[in-house]
Every structure is written in C-alpha cells, then in structure tokens.
C-alpha cells in the first residue's frame, strides 16, 4: 500500500522551529522527487520546496529561502523539512508529495501523483 505520512507539525511562537517528516511506504522513494506544499485557509495549495531524486538538489520558494531546509534519507524512506524562524505567515496545513516531477516545475501540485494527508503548523504568539 502506497503511503506518505507527515508528522512533526504543531504550534510554535514566531521565531520558533519545527521539523516535519514524511515517512513513505509501498514504493521506492529513491526515484521520486519529493515536494513540500502548504495550504492556508482560503488559499490555494502552494509549493514551498522540493528535493530531487538523483543528486538531492533542492529548490525553495523565495518566501522560505534561508529559513527552510529539505532533506531526504532514502534508506529510511523518509524526507524532512526543517523550518526555522517561523512567522505567522507560515501557518498552514503542510503536505509532502512524491512524483516524477520536472525539477523546473517541482512546486506545481500537478507534477505529483502521491500525497500525504498533511500536518498542521500554527505559528502565533
């Protein structure tokens, strides 16, 4: 059974940090681009970061560049999103996704076939 399960979300104060995990099963993560997305209430799902399969190249949207870091451990079938210096604007439901995404378009939801259920991140004082 193909699954992606996010964990690590929670509530933090501005300036705090969280580390999200995306545990996968049922497929070989080695060959997939892993994307991280978020969706705030009333807004469209937006891609924030992705990591390529063959060389672990990464991409970040400007809004998170320098604050978020994505990584992957193929032996553990798990990807991670380290989020530092969080702001209220980062509040959203965060998803991981896997697909044979074109790296130039890796923050587009349509590039991914497999999705997790999401984990909530809330940043407030």
């Amino acid at each position: 059974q193909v699954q992606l399960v996010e964990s690590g979300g929670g509530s933090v104060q501005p300036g705090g940090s969280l580390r999200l995990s995306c545990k996968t099963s049922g497929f070989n993560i080695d060959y997939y681009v892993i994307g991280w997305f978020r969706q705030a209430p009333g807004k469209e799902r937006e891609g924030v970061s992705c990591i390529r399969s063959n060389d672990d190249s990464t991409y970040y949207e400007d809004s998170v560049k320098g604050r978020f870091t994505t990584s992957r451990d193929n032996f553990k079938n798990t990807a991670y999103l380290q989020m530092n210096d969080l702001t209220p604007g980062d509040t959203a439901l965060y998803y991981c996704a896997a697909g044979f995404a074109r790296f130039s378009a890796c923050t587009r939801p349509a590039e991914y076939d497999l999705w997790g259920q999401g984990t909530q991140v809330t940043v407030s004082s």
Side-chain angles (χ1 to χ4, degrees):
Q1 182 181 1
V2 172
Q3 277 192 311
L4 293 82
V5 180
E6 301 93 337
S7 61
S11 296
V12 295
Q13 293 186 338
S17 298
L18 286 171
R19 188 193 195 205
L20 305 185
S21 297
C22 173
K23 175 69 175 176
T24 71
S25 59
F27 65 101
N28 190 342
I29 190 177
D30 295 23
Y31 302 111
Y32 286 76
V33 174
I34 301 297
W36 287 94
F37 296 80
R38 65 186 181 187
Q39 189 165 18
K43 293 188 177 181
E44 291 186 357
R45 189 171 300 188
E46 64 167 342
V48 297
S49 178
C50 59
I51 182 166
R52 196 153 59 180
S53 55
N54 58 344
D55 62 1
D56 288 355
S57 293
T58 55
Y59 174 82
Y60 302 95
E61 284 292 310
D62 287 345
S63 60
V64 306
K65 198 174 293 182
R67 299 187 299 122
F68 290 13
T69 302
T70 187
S71 60
R72 60 195 293 161
D73 185 337
N74 290 347
F75 291 104
K76 295 183 178 179
N77 296 315
T78 302
Y80 305 95
L81 184 67
Q82 177 68 43
M83 306 186 297
N84 298 328
D85 195 21
L86 286 162
T87 72
D90 296 316
T91 295
L93 188 61
Y94 281 72
Y95 300 88
C96 64
F100 298 115
R102 296 168 296 163
F103 200 64
S104 60
C106 73
T107 56
R108 296 180 186 174
E111 295 286 320
Y112 297 85
D113 302 309
L114 307 175
W115 290 85
Q117 83 291 346
T119 185
Q120 179 67 37
V121 172
T122 302
V123 185
S124 69
S125 54

